[in-house]
Amino acid sequence: EAGVTQSPRYAVLQEGQAVSFWCDPISGHDTLYWYQQPRDQGPQLLVYFRDEAVIDNSQLPSDRFSAVRPKGTNSTLKIQSAKQGDTATYLCASSFCGGYYAEQFFGPGTRLTVL
Amino acid sequence: AQSVTQPDARVTVSEGASLQLRCKYSYFGTPYLFWYVQYPRQGLQLLLKYYPGDPVVQGVNGFEAEFSKSNSSFHLRKASVHWSDWAVYFCAVKRGSNYKLTFGKGTLLTVTP
């Protein structure tokens, strides 16, 4: 069974540029999560979906970050006008349902550097 | 608000020695607790999980953890560390109607020969 895949694996930008990250969850998983992991920190949830609906985006900086999952499968996270403070690894995870017993499976992440 | 604290940013252990990585949680109610491992340039992998029941839970690769309600702790243990265990270990708690995972800052485990 294929795991969670993400692309690109690395991205280097100048401040002010835009970037998109793409995630393909495990087949059949209805819940998809995006995390931001700054260097030497634990992952912090940005947004998560059940099917195509956003369940929680309270930690997503809405002025520059956006996330979609239009068909309830793949997802794209986009940063408009990146800042140096956005430098981090962006992890995607998926699970079947989202309750207490649902295990989240993580992709390898996209390491973003904003110069 | 819930939180997870991993008080040790880095732990160094000799190969073959025993290991304990500490995790303290702050949560009202029944916590659902997890340990994840992150190898270099890889995503997180689940080591073990605690759901209300037996306080000692077994995980993969010889890891186990013990839940203590009185100490608000969920420490990770291994009897004999291997060099391949060199990685960052994260403790996490899941809670609330949205079942959000909150992670600690992680502990880097280094293994010496």
Side-chain angles (χ1 to χ4, degrees):
Chain A
E1 175 182 286
V4 177
T5 56
Q6 293 185 244
S7 65
R9 292 296 308 273
Y10 302 92
V12 181
L13 308 174
Q14 299 289 334
E15 272 199 323
Q17 288 186 305
V19 63
S20 292
F21 309 132
W22 181 81
C23 174
D24 188 5
I26 291 173
S27 178
H29 281 189
D30 59 352
T31 308
L32 184 146
Y33 311 80
W34 283 103
Y35 290 86
Q36 181 189 61
Q37 185 180 15
R39 184 178 175 84
D40 297 330
Q41 302 257 354
Q44 299 157 19
L45 183 68
L46 291 174
V47 58
Y48 86 95
F49 300 83
R50 183 157 301 123
D51 298 320
E52 66 276 6
V54 173
I55 303 300
D56 189 327
N57 62 358
S58 59
Q59 301 304 309
L60 194 67
S62 57
D63 58 333
R64 295 184 301 108
F65 285 63
S66 63
V68 295
R69 194 185 183 200
K71 297 183 179 178
T73 52
N74 301 335
S75 177
T76 303
L77 175 70
K78 184 173 184 178
I79 306 176
Q80 301 270 21
S81 190
K83 299 181 178 181
Q84 288 187 353
D86 299 331
T87 293
T89 298
Y90 291 83
L91 296 168
C92 179
S94 70
S95 69
F96 180 66
C97 298
Y100 283 119
Y101 298 96
E103 179 180 343
Q104 294 184 25
F105 293 83
F106 285 80
T110 297
R111 183 177 293 184
L112 173 66
T113 301
V114 183
L115 303 174
Chain B
Q2 65 179 28
S3 70
V4 174
T5 302
Q6 295 180 248
D8 304 309
R10 181 173 181 147
V11 169
T12 298
V13 176
S14 299
E15 191 168 16
S18 64
L19 165 71
Q20 176 171 280
L21 300 182
R22 296 185 292 163
C23 173
K24 300 276 285 186
Y25 68 88
S26 171
Y27 179 67
F28 294 106
T30 302
Y32 292 72
L33 295 158
F34 305 80
W35 276 99
Y36 284 83
V37 62
Q38 188 173 35
Y39 299 104
R41 293 175 295 282
Q42 295 186 30
L44 279 74
Q45 299 171 28
L46 182 66
L47 275 179
L48 48 79
K49 56 198 174 194
Y50 169 77
Y51 300 144
D54 190 334
V56 178
V57 291
Q58 304 296 322
V60 298
N61 297 333
F63 286 95
E64 69 173 28
E66 183 167 5
F67 169 74
S68 171
K69 187 173 183 179
S70 59
N71 294 325
S72 298
S73 67
F74 187 57
H75 300 331
L76 181 70
R77 302 188 298 237
K78 187 171 185 179
S80 178
V81 169
H82 188 263
W83 66 267
S84 61
D85 294 324
W86 187 316
V88 181
Y89 293 79
F90 293 96
C91 183
V93 62
K94 185 184 280 190
R95 63 93 179 171
S97 59
N98 281 340
Y99 312 110
K100 292 165 65 171
L101 265 179
T102 298
F103 288 86
K105 291 188 175 182
T107 298
L108 170 63
L109 172 65
T110 60
V111 182
T112 59

